[in-house]
């Protein structure tokens, strides 16, 4: 079987989550806690202002193919972005990608990369409005951890080196800006 590529992706729309427009019922990324979050908790977390969510669908279809969520966060200055250490502040503002998930049948078709690029573009817009030194995410443990760790590393994410969160990675906003601008 040939490797799946970006050419295997349908024409996509990535739009802000709308409970009435996005069909989450058949979504499964292969990790039950993420599936349950999308189906059971996402609406409440969006409503409560905890996250914003962005949903990928095929043009003309409401079924969720993948999604990501963004939220605000601060990390201790002694970890990650060195500019925070120079600023002599205890915490550095970052944008937290809480979740990135792709429906199982869409995995390996570059949808994850498309979602991360879309997230990074939004993070740049946010950082230009309120300031953020980096983008942070936690690499999901469990099956395929090494594949996920490699994926984020290839995108430029670095270990935050926080002993309390060994799977937490970051990419400096300056690197995001240099790559996407």
């Amino acid at each position: 079987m040939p490797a799946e590529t970006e050419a295997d992706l349908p024409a996509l729309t990535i739009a802000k989550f709308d409970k009435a427009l996005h069909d989450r019922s058949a979504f499964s990324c292969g990790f039950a806690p993420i599936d349950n979050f999308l189906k059971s908790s996402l609406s409440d977390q969006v409503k409560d202002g905890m996250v914003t969510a962005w949903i990928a669908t095929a043009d003309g279809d409401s079924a969720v193919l993948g999604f990501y969520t963004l939220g605000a966060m601060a990390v201790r200055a002694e970890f990650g972005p060195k500019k925070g250490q120079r600023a002599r502040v205890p915490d550095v503002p970052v944008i937290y990608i809480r979740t990135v998930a792709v429906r199982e049948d869409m995995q390996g078709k570059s949808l994850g990369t498309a979602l991360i690029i879309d997230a990074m573009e939004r993070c740049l817009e946010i950082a230009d409005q309120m300031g953020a030194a980096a983008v942070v995410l936690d690499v999901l443990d469990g099956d395929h951890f090494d594949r996920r760790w490699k994926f984020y590393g290839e995108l430029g994410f670095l270990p935050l080196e926080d002993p309390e969160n060994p799977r937490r990675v970051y990419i400096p906003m300056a690197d995001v800006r240099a790559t996407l601008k």
Side-chain angles (χ1 to χ4, degrees), residues 23-39 56 63-68 98-108 111-112 115 140-145 147-148 152:
D23 180 5
R24 301 168 284 162
S25 62
F27 184 88
S28 176
C29 67
F31 188 67
I34 299 293
D35 297 341
N36 292 336
F37 168 74
L38 176 66
K39 295 172 186 175
V64 174
L65 301 178
F67 73 101
Y68 66 88
R98 178 174 173 186
T99 311
V100 178
V102 174
R103 199 171 73 187
E104 281 185 292
D105 65 322
M106 296 301 296
Q107 293 175 9
L111 179 54
L115 288 169
L140 185 64
D141 203 3
D143 292 346
H144 309 294
F145 171 80
R147 183 177 75 189
R148 285 188 291 274
Y152 289 114

Side-chain angles (χ1 to χ4, degrees), residues 85-122:
Q85 294 173 9
R86 288 195 325 244
R88 299 178 196 251
V89 295
D91 297 310
V92 176
V94 299
I95 300 169
Y96 182 50
I97 299 177
R98 178 174 173 186
T99 311
V100 178
V102 174
R103 199 171 73 187
E104 281 185 292
D105 65 322
M106 296 301 296
Q107 293 175 9
K109 297 182 181 182
S110 300
L111 179 54
T113 301
L115 288 169
I116 290 292
I117 291 169
D118 190 79
M120 294 301 179
E121 290 170 346
R122 292 184 201 284

Side-chain angles (χ1 to χ4, degrees), residues 34-57:
I34 299 293
D35 297 341
N36 292 336
F37 168 74
L38 176 66
K39 295 172 186 175
S40 303
S41 302
L42 179 62
S43 293
D44 289 338
Q45 290 206 12
V46 167
K47 184 174 75 176
D48 293 342
M50 302 300 289
V51 297
T52 59
W54 300 88
I55 307 294
T57 58

